[in-house]
Amino acid sequence: MAEYSRPNTLGRALSHPTLIETNDVSPPNVQLHPRRRRKLSSCSSVENLDRVSSPSPANESRVLVINTGGTIGMTLRDTGYAPKANALVESLRKLPILHDELYARQTYLYEYYKLENTLVLPPSKLNKRIIYTILEYSPLLDSSNMTTDDWGRIGKDIEKNYENFDGFVILHGTDTMAYTASALSFMCEHLGKPIVLTGSQVPIYELRNDGRDNLLGALLIAGQFVIPEVCLYFYNKLYRGNRVTKVDAGSFNAFTSPNLPPLATAEVDFKINWDTVWRANTTAKFQVRTELNRNVGLLRLFPGITSSTVRAFLQPPMQGVVLETYGSGNAPDNRPDLLEELSKATNSGVIIVNCTQCLRGTVSASYATGRVLMEAGLLAGGDMTPEAALSKLSYVLAKKELTLDAQKKMMAQNLRGEMSADLEGAKLCLSDSRFIQVIAKSLSVSCKEELEAIRDALTPSLACAAAKIGDTEALVALKEMGSDLRLGDFDGRTPLHVAACEGHLRLVQYLLNQGASVHAKDRYGDTPLCNAVRFRHKDVVRLLRKTGAHFSREQLEEAGSELCSLAASGDKEGLDIWRIAGADLTRPGYDGKTAIEVAQAAGNKDVVEVLNSYMNSKTMPVFDELNEYDEYNNDDDEEEENGAAIEFTAKPALL
Ligand SMILES: NC(=O)C[C@H](N)C(=O)O
C-alpha cells in the first residue's frame, strides 16, 4: 500500500486523502475534477491536439513539446549519432523526475487527453503539475539538416495549438538552435506565452547527460512563468532566443548571450529577471508569419577578401546580407574596389546589415573604417548576433507589402529585443516630451511626502527641458501635479530663462501667466531678458519688457561696449534689439566712445542714421509698449509657435 494524497483541486470532491494501491487506480477509488470528467466524454480524437482544450485544475498547466530532433533524442549507430524515432516518450515515461505515472493514472490523464504521448511532471516547488504532450516530427532531424521550412512548420504547429497550451518547448539540435530561436522570435508576432527551445549535448538515453536537466528546466519555465518570448534554455540559464549563439561544441555550457544577461537562472529557485523580459506592448492577437525570404546570406570579411568574391555573393537573387565586419563594425577604407561593390549592391536594393565578428559589443561609427560602410549604404546592426540579423532580414524581406525603405526602417528597429537601442537613443532624453509627461504622471500617482520631494527635485530639470522644446503640454502636466514652475535648476536657470533663449513666445506667455518672475537671475546674473536679447528674440523681448523686465544698472553700464561693437560691425538688428530691451543707445563703451561715434569712424552710414533718429526721439518714452505690442502681434519673422492656444494675458507693464 502506498499513501497518495491527491492535490486539493483534483480531490475537490473528496473529503480525505485516499489510500490507493500503487498499481490499483481503478475508477471507484478516484474522483476526477468535474471539468476533466466532463471533457472525458466529449473528447474523441486521439490524434488531433486541437480538440483537447486546456486542463481544468488550477494547479495544472499544459505544455506542448515539439520534438524536432537533435542530440537529446539520438542514439549511437554505426554511422554515428542519429535521431531515434518514437523512442523519447517511452523513455521519459520511465524517468520518475520527468513523469509521474501514478498521478497520470489516478487522474485519468490518458483517458482524458486521449493522447498516449501525454506525460506529467511530479509537483514542482510551486506545487504545479505540468502536463506535457509530445508532438514528434518525422523525420527527426539533426539540426544541421533544418531549413526555413522546418521553422515554418514549428511556427504553424504552435499557432494551431496556441490556445490549448500554456507554454511550448521545442526540442532541437544545438547546432542551429540559435538560428531557429531567432527566426521564431520574429515569426511569432504578438506572442503572449513562453516558447522555450532546448536540447542537449549528450543524448537523454545515456547515463551522464544534460538532456534531462535541460528538458525539466524548460518544462518548468514554460509551464509556470508567463515569459512571452521565444527563449532558449540550456545549462541552468534561460536566454532570449534571438540573443544567443552556440560557443562550445563539447561542453554542457554550450550557449552564451553576449550582449544581454539571461532572462532567468535556475538556482535553488528559478530567478526571473523580469526587468529584462520583453513585453510586446500590444493588444494585437498572436499570429505566426511563416513567409520567409531565403535570398539572404552571411558574408564574413577577412583580410584580403577579393572584390570578385563580394560581387559574386551580392549577385541577384540576393536581397539581404549580413556583413560580418571587424571590431566595432569596421572594414578596410583603403579598398575602393570592395566599397564600390557594396555601394552598387545597396544602390540596387540589397539590404546589407553591418554586424560585428566579435562575440560581444556593438557596431558604431567611431572609426573612419566604420563610417565608409555607412557611406556605402549599409545599415548598422547594433549588437545583433549574426544569427538574429540574418533571420530578421529573412522575416522583414518577406513582408512584400512594405516598400524597401520601410523594410530598411524595420531592420533598424528593435522588434523583439534582438538589439539594444543605440546608445544615443538609449539615453534618457529630457527633451523628449513624452518622457516628461510620463514622469509627471507617474509622480502624481502618489501624494506621499517622499514623492513630493522627488517631484520638487525633478521639476526644474523637467520644466526646463519642456521649455527648451516649447512643450506647453508637458509644462501643464507638471503644473497639474503641483510643481512650481518658477523654480530654477542647479544654475538658477528657470523655465522662463530657457524659453526666452529659445524664443518660444507662447510658452513665455504661459510661464508669465503662471507667475514666473522676469527678474529671476541665473548664476551668471542673467535674467530672461538678457537671454532673449542675446538670442535676438524680439517678440519675447517685447513681452518681457511689457511684463516689467529691465536691465540692471550694471548691465546698462556694460551695454555701452556691446553697443559699440554692434555699431562697428554695422549690426542694425542687434542695436534694435537692445533698443527694444530698454538700453540707452547713447551710453559710451569702455573707452568713452559712443556707438554713433564708432559707426561714424567705421563709415557705417545706415547705423549712424538709425542712431540719429533714435537720439532725436529720445525725449519720447524709451519704449512705447502699445505700439510695440501691436508690432509683436503682426511680426512673423519669429519661429512659428505651435503650443496650445493660451490667451495673451500678460501682466501690465511695470515701467
Ligand atoms: N548537440 C546537438 O544537438 C548537435 C546535433 N548535431 C544537432 O544539432 O542536431
Side-chain angles (χ1 to χ4, degrees):
M1 295 281 277
E3 190 180 44
Y4 182 81
S5 67
R6 279 164 290 168
N8 288 339
T9 42
L10 286 175
R12 210 178 281 163
L14 300 175
S15 47
H16 304 291
T18 314
L19 290 176
I20 307 165
E21 285 282 353
T22 315
N23 53 3
D24 178 8
V25 287
S26 50
N29 287 336
V30 178
Q31 290 277 321
L32 276 180
H33 185 280
R35 272 177 288 170
R36 183 172 288 172
R37 200 186 306 134
R38 217 169 30 242
K39 265 288 152 197
L40 256 176
S41 53
S42 68
C43 180
S44 58
S45 166
V46 177
E47 298 300 324
N48 193 350
L49 299 176
D50 303 347
R51 299 187 58 178
V52 185
S53 66
S54 56
S56 1
N59 74 332
E60 285 182 1
S61 62
R62 284 194 75 197
V63 173
L64 177 63
V65 178
I66 298 178
N67 181 14
T68 70
T71 296
I72 193 164
M74 288 188 184
T75 51
L76 192 55
R77 320 249 179 99
D78 297 344
T79 48
Y81 278 106
K84 188 173 178 199
N86 307 315
L88 189 69
V89 177
E90 279 325 304
S91 134
L92 296 180
R93 209 186 288 288
K94 291 180 200 132
L95 291 174
I97 60 154
L98 284 162
H99 178 58
D100 185 342
E101 178 66 19
L102 182 59
Y103 181 88
R105 294 173 73 190
Q106 283 182 324
T107 58
Y108 287 93
L109 205 71
Y110 305 126
E111 289 82 350
Y112 174 67
Y113 289 115
K114 298 204 183 261
L115 296 166
E116 280 157 17
N117 46 355
T118 292
L119 306 175
V120 58
L121 289 186
S124 75
K125 229 175 153 186
L126 300 173
N127 199 28
K128 270 255 174 185
R129 285 287 187 169
I130 290 152
I131 297 170
Y132 61 106
T133 301
I134 299 181
L135 175 62
E136 184 169 303
Y137 282 0
S138 178
L140 288 168
L141 292 175
D142 184 298
S143 73
S144 306
N145 290 326
M146 291 190 86
T147 67
T148 49
D149 291 344
D150 298 301
W151 302 344
R153 181 177 177 191
I154 299 170
K156 274 289 158 223
D157 280 333
I158 292 174
E159 192 176 45
K160 226 165 57 185
N161 292 289
Y162 191 69
E163 292 188 358
N164 298 330
F165 294 88
D166 301 292
F168 301 84
V169 168
I170 318 288
L171 294 180
H172 196 290
T174 55
D175 289 346
T176 65
M177 200 189 293
Y179 289 91
T180 305
S182 291
L184 284 175
S185 79
F186 297 113
M187 292 160 66
C188 294
E189 297 176 343
H190 320 299
L191 181 62
K193 297 182 180 183
I195 298 176
V196 185
L197 284 95
T198 195
S200 71
Q201 296 282 65
V202 175
I204 206 160
Y205 312 114
E206 295 194 4
L207 181 61
R208 240 189 99 244
N209 72 80
D210 54 334
R212 285 170 217 165
D213 268 357
N214 287 346
L215 175 57
L216 182 61
L219 284 169
L220 287 169
I221 287 173
Q224 297 189 107
F225 304 104
V226 186
I227 298 175
E229 294 209 33
V230 175
C231 321
L232 189 151
Y233 182 80
F234 225 84
Y235 199 58
N236 300 323
K237 291 206 172 71
L238 183 77
Y239 304 103
R240 177 168 300 154
N242 54 35
R243 290 291 196 150
V244 286
T245 193
K246 184 173 175 181
V247 286
D248 202 324
S251 156
F252 287 169
N253 194 4
F255 289 92
T256 189
S257 166
N259 290 317
L260 190 81
L263 301 175
T265 43
E267 297 174 0
V268 172
D269 295 308
F270 281 102
K271 282 199 183 134
I272 316 286
N273 189 359
W274 287 110
D275 287 346
T276 310
V277 171
W278 181 252
R279 303 262 162 227
N281 212 350
T282 172
T283 51
K285 232 179 140 192
F286 172 70
Q287 62 170 16
V288 180
R289 282 285 288 223
T290 49
E291 302 84 27
L292 293 168
N293 188 320
R294 295 182 76 154
N295 298 323
V296 293
L298 285 163
L299 178 61
R300 189 175 168 97
L301 274 190
F302 54 89
I305 188 171
T306 64
S307 51
S308 53
T309 301
V310 174
R311 190 181 323 124
F313 195 83
L314 296 172
Q315 283 307 299
M318 192 59 89
Q319 287 177 268
V321 170
V322 177
L323 186 69
E324 293 185 60
T325 55
Y326 310 130
S328 51
N330 304 321
D333 62 354
N334 61 357
R335 288 284 309 275
D337 58 328
L338 215 61
L339 296 169
E340 198 191 316
E341 293 303 334
L342 294 171
S343 289
K344 266 199 236 156
T346 56
N347 287 335
S348 68
V350 179
I351 298 182
I352 309 183
V353 183
N354 181 1
C355 285
T356 174
Q357 293 177 10
C358 293
L359 184 59
R360 181 173 298 129
T362 183
V363 300
S364 77
S366 45
Y367 291 94
T369 44
R371 288 193 196 163
V372 288
L373 291 179
M374 285 166 81
E375 281 155 22
L378 271 73
L379 302 181
D383 60 354
M384 270 191 288
T385 60
E387 291 95 326
L390 184 79
S391 53
K392 187 175 177 182
L393 264 176
S394 186
Y395 164 77
V396 169
L397 285 170
K399 290 190 177 271
K400 297 206 183 82
E401 68 277 16
L402 298 182
T403 62
L404 181 65
D405 272 351
Q407 288 174 336
K408 284 186 186 169
K409 227 173 168 183
M410 202 167 186
M411 280 307 297
Q413 277 168 8
N414 181 15
L415 302 179
R416 309 278 191 271
E418 72 281 5
M419 65 202 287
S420 311
D422 83 77
L423 289 179
E424 282 306 305
K427 275 185 206 153
L428 282 184
C429 184
L430 277 178
S431 57
D432 173 346
S433 60
R434 219 177 62 84
F435 171 77
I436 301 167
Q437 284 178 34
V438 166
I439 292 276
K441 276 202 186 116
S442 61
L443 289 182
S444 66
V445 293
S446 168
C447 54
K448 288 198 186 111
E449 282 169 11
E450 254 180 31
L451 264 181
E452 283 176 2
I454 295 171
R455 180 199 65 195
D456 290 345
L458 283 176
T459 293
S461 305
L462 293 174
C464 285
K468 168 95 182 152
I469 53 169
D471 190 338
T472 314
E473 274 176 38
L475 282 174
V476 170
L478 285 166
K479 179 78 191 156
E480 275 170 6
M481 68 184 232
S483 304
D484 185 347
L485 300 181
R486 296 167 303 179
L487 296 174
D489 68 7
F490 303 102
D491 282 338
R493 295 185 57 70
T494 63
L496 188 60
H497 280 94
V498 178
C501 276
E502 300 302 321
H504 294 310
L505 183 66
R506 294 202 176 274
L507 214 111
V508 170
Q509 282 178 314
Y510 173 75
L511 288 166
L512 292 172
N513 290 347
Q514 299 306 317
S517 170
V518 291
H519 306 299
K521 284 185 185 159
D522 66 15
R523 69 185 295 184
Y524 312 103
D526 286 344
T527 58
L529 178 65
C530 300
N531 291 167
V533 168
R534 171 134 201 225
F535 291 97
R536 302 194 175 194
H537 297 300
K538 262 193 213 172
D539 290 352
V540 175
V541 170
R542 289 190 187 104
L543 181 54
L544 291 171
R545 287 282 289 143
K546 188 171 172 52
T547 315
H550 58 81
F551 289 122
S552 67
R553 181 187 291 253
E554 297 76 39
Q555 283 165 340
L556 284 172
E557 278 167 9
E558 281 166 17
S561 299
E562 176 68 23
L563 295 170
C564 289
S565 119
L566 292 169
S569 59
D571 189 344
K572 280 194 296 183
E573 199 208 4
L575 287 165
D576 198 39
I577 294 267
W578 280 90
R579 176 188 67 82
I580 297 169
D584 178 359
L585 301 192
T586 63
R587 180 155 307 262
Y590 66 91
D591 60 354
K593 289 206 179 84
T594 60
I596 198 163
E597 288 166 344
V598 172
Q600 273 161 350
N604 288 331
K605 282 188 194 150
D606 286 3
V607 175
V608 174
E609 232 170 76
V610 167
L611 288 171
N612 263 330
S613 68
Y614 166 77
M615 308 250 283
N616 294 337
S617 64
K618 217 189 146 203
T619 44
M620 312 264 289
V622 172
F623 189 74
D624 179 346
E625 271 112 1
L626 285 178
N627 292 344
E628 296 290 353
Y629 173 57
D630 287 345
E631 201 182 313
Y632 140 69
N633 265 344
N634 299 327
D635 200 349
D636 57 8
D637 62 357
E638 286 285 333
E639 164 194 343
E640 186 65 39
E641 297 291 335
N642 58 2
I646 299 161
E647 275 185 28
F648 179 72
T649 52
K651 294 171 185 169
L654 297 176
L655 275 179

